[in-house]
Amino acid sequence: MNSFIFISVLCSCLLLYSAWTDGREGYIPDQVSILIFVLSLFSVLNGYGPGFLIRIAGAFFCGGLLELMRLISKGGIGMGDVKLMTACGFFLGITTGAVSLVFAYILAGMFCLPLLIFKKASLKTRLPMAPFFTVSILIFLFFEEKIFTWYLGLWGIL
């Protein structure tokens, strides 16, 4: 189990770097997505984390949904975001990947709403998403079980 924690910490460092780079430079280096994918393969081969098919589903869902949104918005979402979330979907699996993706957009909306209300930004303002992906993924990577237990408890399921 210590190896999976080490891999998760390495992935976290890569995500933090992507958030910093996207926020500062406006792009996400391809090397980050590649390294997250390599870490994911290493964890699969060593039996850590979700199973291979669950990871494949996560990559297709996260990357596919963002690619669809990118095509519909005609470039409103960058390819770096698509690549990063494809790799993260493969690392996290379908459930955690999907929840992290949705939560990242909720965080981005909460951040942008006051800016829009007070006219500090418009709907055309560029918003780097890697910082929101990073926060969301880190929350669910390290606290997923506690969050799901709490949430399901609200509905009386647990």
Side-chain angles (χ1 to χ4, degrees):
M1 189 53 105
N2 290 335
S3 295
F4 186 67
I5 292 171
F6 181 71
I7 291 169
S8 297
V9 169
L10 286 176
C11 184
S12 300
C13 292
L14 290 167
L15 285 167
L16 290 169
Y17 176 72
S18 74
W20 180 77
T21 305
D22 195 21
R24 186 168 180 171
E25 306 292 331
Y27 76 97
I28 301 167
D30 287 343
Q31 294 87 340
V32 170
S33 300
I34 292 167
L35 288 171
I36 290 172
F37 184 75
V38 168
L39 287 173
S40 301
L41 283 176
F42 181 79
S43 67
V44 165
L45 294 173
N46 288 290
Y48 307 131
F52 186 71
L53 293 178
I54 291 171
R55 289 174 186 258
I56 293 289
F60 273 104
F61 179 81
C62 293
L65 183 62
L66 281 182
E67 177 62 14
L68 181 64
M69 290 169 51
R70 189 180 79 77
L71 292 172
I72 290 170
S73 68
K74 295 181 175 45
I77 294 173
M79 242 350 253
D81 295 325
V82 175
K83 293 174 193 175
L84 180 66
M85 283 309 297
T86 300
C88 289
F90 188 69
F91 183 73
L92 298 168
I94 183 74
T95 305
T96 309
V99 171
S100 295
L101 182 61
V102 170
F103 190 66
Y105 276 96
I106 290 170
L107 289 174
M110 290 169 41
F111 175 81
C112 290
L113 188 60
L115 298 176
L116 292 170
I117 290 171
F118 294 111
K119 309 262 191 244
K120 300 289 182 188
S122 74
L123 294 176
K124 298 285 184 186
T125 302
R126 184 196 165 286
L127 179 68
M129 282 302 297
F132 300 105
F133 293 148
T134 298
V135 169
S136 179
I137 289 167
L138 292 179
I139 287 170
F140 285 97
L141 182 62
F142 292 106
F143 303 106
E144 173 186 23
E145 187 176 324
K146 290 180 181 183
I147 292 169
F148 284 148
T149 301
W150 168 80
Y151 182 73
L152 294 174
L154 288 176
W155 297 96
I157 296 172
L158 287 180

